[in-house]
Short mmCIF file of all heavy atoms in Angstrom, two decimals:
data_model
loop_
_atom_site.label_atom_id
_atom_site.label_comp_id
_atom_site.label_asym_id
_atom_site.label_seq_id
_atom_site.Cartn_x
_atom_site.Cartn_y
_atom_site.Cartn_z
N ASP A 1237 -26.69 -18.71 -36.61
CA ASP A 1237 -25.66 -19.55 -36.00
C ASP A 1237 -24.75 -20.01 -37.14
O ASP A 1237 -25.14 -20.87 -37.94
CB ASP A 1237 -26.28 -20.74 -35.27
CG ASP A 1237 -25.26 -21.55 -34.51
OD1 ASP A 1237 -24.11 -21.09 -34.35
OD2 ASP A 1237 -25.60 -22.66 -34.07
N VAL A 1238 -23.56 -19.44 -37.22
CA VAL A 1238 -22.62 -19.78 -38.30
C VAL A 1238 -21.73 -20.91 -37.81
O VAL A 1238 -21.02 -20.75 -36.82
CB VAL A 1238 -21.77 -18.54 -38.69
CG1 VAL A 1238 -20.84 -18.89 -39.84
CG2 VAL A 1238 -22.66 -17.36 -39.05
N PRO A 1239 -21.74 -22.08 -38.49
CA PRO A 1239 -21.01 -23.25 -38.01
C PRO A 1239 -19.54 -23.30 -38.43
O PRO A 1239 -18.90 -24.34 -38.26
CB PRO A 1239 -21.79 -24.41 -38.61
CG PRO A 1239 -22.33 -23.86 -39.88
CD PRO A 1239 -22.62 -22.40 -39.60
N PHE A 1240 -19.00 -22.22 -38.96
CA PHE A 1240 -17.60 -22.21 -39.41
C PHE A 1240 -17.01 -20.82 -39.23
O PHE A 1240 -17.73 -19.84 -39.06
CB PHE A 1240 -17.52 -22.63 -40.89
CG PHE A 1240 -18.56 -21.97 -41.77
CD1 PHE A 1240 -18.43 -20.65 -42.20
CD2 PHE A 1240 -19.69 -22.67 -42.14
CE1 PHE A 1240 -19.39 -20.06 -42.99
CE2 PHE A 1240 -20.66 -22.09 -42.95
CZ PHE A 1240 -20.51 -20.79 -43.37
N GLU A 1241 -15.67 -20.73 -39.26
CA GLU A 1241 -15.00 -19.43 -39.22
C GLU A 1241 -15.33 -18.68 -40.51
O GLU A 1241 -15.48 -19.29 -41.56
CB GLU A 1241 -13.50 -19.62 -39.11
CG GLU A 1241 -13.04 -20.13 -37.77
CD GLU A 1241 -11.52 -20.18 -37.65
OE1 GLU A 1241 -10.83 -19.54 -38.48
OE2 GLU A 1241 -11.05 -20.85 -36.73
N PHE A 1242 -15.41 -17.35 -40.41
CA PHE A 1242 -15.73 -16.55 -41.58
C PHE A 1242 -15.19 -15.15 -41.42
O PHE A 1242 -14.76 -14.76 -40.33
CB PHE A 1242 -17.25 -16.51 -41.80
CG PHE A 1242 -18.00 -15.77 -40.73
CD1 PHE A 1242 -18.42 -14.46 -40.93
CD2 PHE A 1242 -18.29 -16.38 -39.52
CE1 PHE A 1242 -19.12 -13.78 -39.94
CE2 PHE A 1242 -18.98 -15.71 -38.52
CZ PHE A 1242 -19.39 -14.41 -38.73
N SER A 1243 -15.22 -14.39 -42.51
CA SER A 1243 -14.78 -12.99 -42.44
C SER A 1243 -15.89 -12.09 -42.96
O SER A 1243 -16.72 -12.49 -43.75
CB SER A 1243 -13.49 -12.79 -43.25
OG SER A 1243 -13.74 -13.04 -44.62
N VAL A 1244 -15.85 -10.87 -42.45
CA VAL A 1244 -16.71 -9.79 -42.93
C VAL A 1244 -15.76 -8.65 -43.19
O VAL A 1244 -15.12 -8.13 -42.28
CB VAL A 1244 -17.78 -9.38 -41.90
CG1 VAL A 1244 -18.58 -8.19 -42.40
CG2 VAL A 1244 -18.70 -10.55 -41.59
N GLY A 1245 -15.63 -8.28 -44.47
CA GLY A 1245 -14.61 -7.30 -44.82
C GLY A 1245 -13.24 -7.89 -44.55
O GLY A 1245 -12.94 -9.00 -44.97
N LYS A 1246 -12.42 -7.18 -43.79
CA LYS A 1246 -11.07 -7.66 -43.49
C LYS A 1246 -10.98 -8.32 -42.12
O LYS A 1246 -9.90 -8.72 -41.70
CB LYS A 1246 -10.09 -6.49 -43.57
CG LYS A 1246 -9.97 -5.93 -44.97
CD LYS A 1246 -8.95 -4.81 -45.03
CE LYS A 1246 -8.85 -4.28 -46.45
NZ LYS A 1246 -7.88 -3.21 -46.57
N LYS A 1247 -12.10 -8.43 -41.40
CA LYS A 1247 -12.09 -9.01 -40.06
C LYS A 1247 -12.57 -10.44 -40.07
O LYS A 1247 -13.55 -10.76 -40.74
CB LYS A 1247 -12.95 -8.16 -39.12
CG LYS A 1247 -12.42 -6.76 -38.92
CD LYS A 1247 -13.26 -6.00 -37.94
CE LYS A 1247 -12.70 -4.60 -37.75
NZ LYS A 1247 -13.45 -3.84 -36.76
N ALA A 1248 -11.89 -11.29 -39.31
CA ALA A 1248 -12.26 -12.71 -39.21
C ALA A 1248 -12.98 -12.97 -37.89
O ALA A 1248 -12.69 -12.33 -36.87
CB ALA A 1248 -11.01 -13.57 -39.30
N PHE A 1249 -13.92 -13.94 -37.92
CA PHE A 1249 -14.72 -14.26 -36.74
C PHE A 1249 -14.82 -15.78 -36.60
O PHE A 1249 -14.89 -16.50 -37.59
CB PHE A 1249 -16.11 -13.65 -36.86
CG PHE A 1249 -16.09 -12.17 -37.00
CD1 PHE A 1249 -16.17 -11.56 -38.24
CD2 PHE A 1249 -15.94 -11.36 -35.88
CE1 PHE A 1249 -16.12 -10.19 -38.37
CE2 PHE A 1249 -15.88 -9.98 -36.00
CZ PHE A 1249 -15.97 -9.39 -37.24
N PRO A 1250 -14.87 -16.26 -35.36
CA PRO A 1250 -15.01 -17.71 -35.15
C PRO A 1250 -16.45 -18.15 -35.36
O PRO A 1250 -17.37 -17.33 -35.42
CB PRO A 1250 -14.60 -17.88 -33.68
CG PRO A 1250 -14.96 -16.57 -33.04
CD PRO A 1250 -14.71 -15.53 -34.10
N ALA A 1251 -16.64 -19.46 -35.48
CA ALA A 1251 -18.00 -20.00 -35.57
C ALA A 1251 -18.77 -19.59 -34.33
O ALA A 1251 -18.20 -19.44 -33.25
CB ALA A 1251 -17.92 -21.53 -35.67
N GLY A 1252 -20.08 -19.38 -34.47
CA GLY A 1252 -20.89 -19.02 -33.31
C GLY A 1252 -22.16 -18.30 -33.70
O GLY A 1252 -22.50 -18.21 -34.88
N GLU A 1253 -22.87 -17.80 -32.69
CA GLU A 1253 -24.12 -17.08 -32.91
C GLU A 1253 -23.83 -15.60 -33.11
O GLU A 1253 -23.06 -15.00 -32.35
CB GLU A 1253 -25.06 -17.26 -31.72
CG GLU A 1253 -25.65 -18.64 -31.64
CD GLU A 1253 -26.73 -18.75 -30.57
OE1 GLU A 1253 -27.09 -17.73 -29.94
OE2 GLU A 1253 -27.22 -19.87 -30.37
N TYR A 1254 -24.50 -15.03 -34.11
CA TYR A 1254 -24.31 -13.62 -34.44
C TYR A 1254 -25.66 -12.99 -34.76
O TYR A 1254 -26.62 -13.68 -35.07
CB TYR A 1254 -23.38 -13.46 -35.64
CG TYR A 1254 -21.97 -13.90 -35.34
CD1 TYR A 1254 -21.57 -15.21 -35.57
CD2 TYR A 1254 -21.06 -13.01 -34.80
CE1 TYR A 1254 -20.28 -15.63 -35.28
CE2 TYR A 1254 -19.77 -13.42 -34.50
CZ TYR A 1254 -19.38 -14.72 -34.74
OH TYR A 1254 -18.12 -15.13 -34.44
N VAL A 1255 -25.69 -11.67 -34.73
CA VAL A 1255 -26.87 -10.90 -35.13
C VAL A 1255 -26.42 -9.91 -36.19
O VAL A 1255 -25.43 -9.20 -36.00
CB VAL A 1255 -27.50 -10.17 -33.92
CG1 VAL A 1255 -28.69 -9.32 -34.38
CG2 VAL A 1255 -27.94 -11.16 -32.85
N VAL A 1256 -27.14 -9.89 -37.31
CA VAL A 1256 -26.90 -8.93 -38.38
C VAL A 1256 -28.00 -7.88 -38.30
O VAL A 1256 -29.18 -8.22 -38.29
CB VAL A 1256 -26.90 -9.61 -39.76
CG1 VAL A 1256 -26.72 -8.59 -40.87
CG2 VAL A 1256 -25.83 -10.69 -39.82
N VAL A 1257 -27.60 -6.61 -38.22
CA VAL A 1257 -28.55 -5.52 -38.05
C VAL A 1257 -28.32 -4.45 -39.12
O VAL A 1257 -27.17 -4.07 -39.37
CB VAL A 1257 -28.39 -4.86 -36.66
CG1 VAL A 1257 -29.39 -3.73 -36.47
CG2 VAL A 1257 -28.53 -5.88 -35.56
N GLN A 1258 -29.38 -3.99 -39.74
CA GLN A 1258 -29.28 -2.86 -40.66
C GLN A 1258 -29.22 -1.59 -39.81
O GLN A 1258 -30.13 -1.32 -39.03
CB GLN A 1258 -30.46 -2.79 -41.60
CG GLN A 1258 -30.40 -1.62 -42.54
CD GLN A 1258 -31.66 -1.43 -43.35
OE1 GLN A 1258 -32.66 -2.12 -43.14
NE2 GLN A 1258 -31.64 -0.48 -44.24
N VAL A 1259 -28.14 -0.82 -39.95
CA VAL A 1259 -27.99 0.40 -39.15
C VAL A 1259 -28.18 1.67 -39.98
O VAL A 1259 -28.32 2.75 -39.42
CB VAL A 1259 -26.62 0.44 -38.43
CG1 VAL A 1259 -26.55 -0.65 -37.38
CG2 VAL A 1259 -25.46 0.32 -39.40
N ALA A 1260 -28.18 1.53 -41.31
CA ALA A 1260 -28.42 2.63 -42.24
C ALA A 1260 -28.87 1.99 -43.55
O ALA A 1260 -28.78 0.77 -43.70
CB ALA A 1260 -27.16 3.46 -42.41
N PRO A 1261 -29.35 2.79 -44.52
CA PRO A 1261 -29.88 2.20 -45.74
C PRO A 1261 -28.97 1.16 -46.44
O PRO A 1261 -29.45 0.15 -46.88
CB PRO A 1261 -30.12 3.41 -46.63
CG PRO A 1261 -30.44 4.49 -45.67
CD PRO A 1261 -29.55 4.23 -44.49
N HIS A 1262 -27.68 1.38 -46.52
CA HIS A 1262 -26.80 0.41 -47.18
C HIS A 1262 -25.67 -0.02 -46.25
O HIS A 1262 -24.56 -0.29 -46.69
CB HIS A 1262 -26.22 1.01 -48.46
CG HIS A 1262 -27.27 1.32 -49.49
ND1 HIS A 1262 -27.89 0.34 -50.21
CD2 HIS A 1262 -27.82 2.49 -49.87
CE1 HIS A 1262 -28.78 0.90 -51.01
NE2 HIS A 1262 -28.76 2.20 -50.82
N THR A 1263 -25.97 -0.11 -44.97
CA THR A 1263 -24.96 -0.45 -43.97
C THR A 1263 -25.50 -1.49 -43.01
O THR A 1263 -26.57 -1.32 -42.44
CB THR A 1263 -24.53 0.81 -43.17
OG1 THR A 1263 -24.16 1.84 -44.10
CG2 THR A 1263 -23.37 0.50 -42.26
N LEU A 1264 -24.73 -2.57 -42.85
CA LEU A 1264 -25.07 -3.63 -41.90
C LEU A 1264 -24.03 -3.69 -40.81
O LEU A 1264 -22.85 -3.42 -41.05
CB LEU A 1264 -25.14 -4.99 -42.61
CG LEU A 1264 -26.17 -5.16 -43.71
CD1 LEU A 1264 -26.04 -6.54 -44.35
CD2 LEU A 1264 -27.57 -4.94 -43.19
N ALA A 1265 -24.47 -4.05 -39.61
CA ALA A 1265 -23.56 -4.24 -38.48
C ALA A 1265 -23.63 -5.70 -38.05
O ALA A 1265 -24.69 -6.32 -38.10
CB ALA A 1265 -23.93 -3.33 -37.32
N LEU A 1266 -22.49 -6.23 -37.62
CA LEU A 1266 -22.44 -7.59 -37.08
C LEU A 1266 -22.23 -7.47 -35.59
O LEU A 1266 -21.35 -6.74 -35.13
CB LEU A 1266 -21.28 -8.37 -37.73
CG LEU A 1266 -21.16 -9.82 -37.31
CD1 LEU A 1266 -22.33 -10.64 -37.85
CD2 LEU A 1266 -19.83 -10.40 -37.78
N ARG A 1267 -23.05 -8.19 -34.84
CA ARG A 1267 -22.96 -8.19 -33.38
C ARG A 1267 -22.86 -9.63 -32.91
O ARG A 1267 -23.35 -10.54 -33.56
CB ARG A 1267 -24.17 -7.52 -32.76
CG ARG A 1267 -24.28 -6.06 -33.16
CD ARG A 1267 -25.46 -5.40 -32.55
NE ARG A 1267 -25.51 -4.02 -32.98
CZ ARG A 1267 -26.35 -3.14 -32.52
NH1 ARG A 1267 -27.23 -3.48 -31.60
NH2 ARG A 1267 -26.33 -1.91 -32.97
N ASP A 1268 -22.25 -9.82 -31.73
CA ASP A 1268 -22.15 -11.18 -31.19
C ASP A 1268 -23.44 -11.52 -30.45
O ASP A 1268 -24.38 -10.73 -30.41
CB ASP A 1268 -20.91 -11.34 -30.32
CG ASP A 1268 -20.93 -10.49 -29.05
OD1 ASP A 1268 -21.99 -9.95 -28.67
OD2 ASP A 1268 -19.87 -10.38 -28.42
N SER A 1269 -23.49 -12.72 -29.86
CA SER A 1269 -24.71 -13.18 -29.20
C SER A 1269 -25.07 -12.36 -27.97
O SER A 1269 -26.20 -12.39 -27.50
CB SER A 1269 -24.59 -14.65 -28.83
OG SER A 1269 -23.48 -14.83 -27.97
N ASN A 1270 -24.11 -11.57 -27.46
CA ASN A 1270 -24.37 -10.69 -26.32
C ASN A 1270 -24.71 -9.27 -26.77
O ASN A 1270 -24.69 -8.34 -25.97
CB ASN A 1270 -23.17 -10.66 -25.38
CG ASN A 1270 -22.91 -12.01 -24.76
OD1 ASN A 1270 -23.84 -12.74 -24.43
ND2 ASN A 1270 -21.64 -12.35 -24.63
N ASP A 1271 -24.97 -9.08 -28.07
CA ASP A 1271 -25.31 -7.80 -28.68
C ASP A 1271 -24.14 -6.81 -28.65
O ASP A 1271 -24.32 -5.62 -28.72
CB ASP A 1271 -26.55 -7.19 -28.03
CG ASP A 1271 -27.27 -6.25 -28.99
OD1 ASP A 1271 -27.22 -6.49 -30.21
OD2 ASP A 1271 -27.86 -5.26 -28.52
#
């Protein structure tokens, strides 16, 4: 649960619940609370 706005790479996201998932050895995916 991120309590502030933030960016991942060049994309910005609002505060909220997120899921970080490893999708490959050196690759992570960001998903929202609805997956």
Side-chain angles (χ1 to χ4, degrees):
D1237 186 12
V1238 182
F1240 44 78
E1241 289 185 16
F1242 67 100
S1243 64
V1244 176
K1246 295 182 179 181
K1247 296 183 179 182
F1249 301 97
E1253 288 188 4
Y1254 293 91
V1255 177
V1256 177
V1257 181
Q1258 179 188 6
V1259 293
H1262 297 286
T1263 308
L1264 299 177
L1266 183 68
R1267 298 180 181 187
D1268 65 14
S1269 59
N1270 296 323
D1271 206 32

